[in-house]
Structure formats: C-alpha cells, structure tokens
Amino acid sequence: MTDIATRTWDGMTIPVAGTYLLDQAHKRIGFLSRHMMVSPVRGEFAEATAEIFVAEDPLLSSVTATIMSASITTGSVDRDTHLKSADFLDVERFPTLEYRSTGIKWRGNEDPIFQWARLRNHRLGGRGRSHIVPPQSDGIPGRFVLTGELTVKGITRAVDLEVNFGGARQDPYGQNIFGFSATAEMNREDYGLLWNVVLESGGVLVGKTVQIEIAGEAIYQA
C-alpha cells in the first residue's frame, strides 16, 4: 500500500498534483438524443482514453481525451451502422473524436438544494433557528466548469462541461484515484452531422441537440 495521494483545497479532499489516466474499467462516455421528437435514445463510445493533469493550483488543471468513433453503440446494430457511416461520424475518414480543455472555473461545493433552502429561509426570516439548513457534508461534490474544444469530423467547436468532482481516495489495490461526472449539450449540426428526415406530422426523425453524459475514475501515475 502507498500513501494516499490527496490534499485539502477549499474544504475538499482533492488529488495531489500530477498526471492521471482514465480508468478503462470505470468509465462511461455517453450521449442522449431524441428519436421522432418524443423518445430518448442513449448510446456511448466504448473505447476512449483521457489524460488529466492536476496542477498545484487546481484551477490550472487540464484534460485531453481521445474517443474512438467506431466504438459507438446504441443497442441497435442497424442504427450503429448508420451512425458510423458518412451520414454521421464517417468513422473510416475520421477515426477519432478529440477533446482538449482550455480552462477551468470553480463553482463551489454547495449542493443546489442547500442553496435554495438557505435563500428561502433567509427571505422568510424570523422562523427560529430550527429552520437553519446545516452546513454541507464532505460527501457533497465540488462543481466545476471545464471549458474546452471538441473536434468531430475535423470540425472544432467550443463545448463546456459541467463537472461534478466525486472525491479522491485509495482503492483496494493501493491505487490513488478520483471520481467525476460531467454533462454538456451540443448541436450536432455544428459538426456537419446534418442527416435527417422531416416527419409528415411535423418535426424531424433525429433530434439536433445531443446531451453528453460522462462518468469515470482517474488513476494517479506515479
């Protein structure tokens, strides 16, 4: 067992400075779009790598990630084949999607429900101390905005990720890890993914807005 590679920053336990790699056994690079304007379809990219550099000043940290476009899966062979074709990702010409961070902003470690409750109690006032919401516990994650650029089919656009830091600790194998999740939205047409079918009843077959859903762990590289 090694020493746990953590430190304290703004009341949170965070990883020490250094390089961390995405744990292949604990990751999800997912997305959600709408079919026929009514139903959500989820998918993910099974193959992806990421390197996270945690700086001495956490707000100077950075991320680079590479996603293998041909690893897309949505649970339907026919749909996956179409998504890999030139109508969408064109995986033969563009085998990877790339993400590179350009900055990071701290949003605090306050759970939104506590923020709402404190504001509500402050406005009402005079109801007694029994209505005061207790301070947040260490279990509430810190929230960041990771600004960056996503490249799809050779087109690069700004995409900002809303990141929740899940905590840092040592796993049962003696590896120092931290966990995170992230979400964002993008318009697929900004990347030349224009294929669609107009429905007779109105709307389109495939939604233009794609929600990005990421979760994972990163392992410290000694």
Side-chain angles (χ1 to χ4, degrees), residues 76-87:
S76 166
V77 173
D78 289 343
R79 180 166 57 223
D80 293 348
T81 299
H82 192 195
L83 290 172
K84 295 175 187 179
S85 74
D87 283 342

Side-chain angles (χ1 to χ4, degrees), residues 26 28 56 60 65 98 103 113 116 143 151-152 165 169 173-174 189 192-193 199 208 218 220:
H26 299 93
R28 182 175 186 272
E56 289 291 345
L60 297 178
E98 307 285 340
I113 191 64
W116 173 84
R143 297 180 299 128
T151 300
V152 180
F165 170 68
R169 63 176 60 225
Y173 306 101
E189 292 189 345
L193 308 178
L199 303 175
K208 298 178 182 180
Y220 179 65

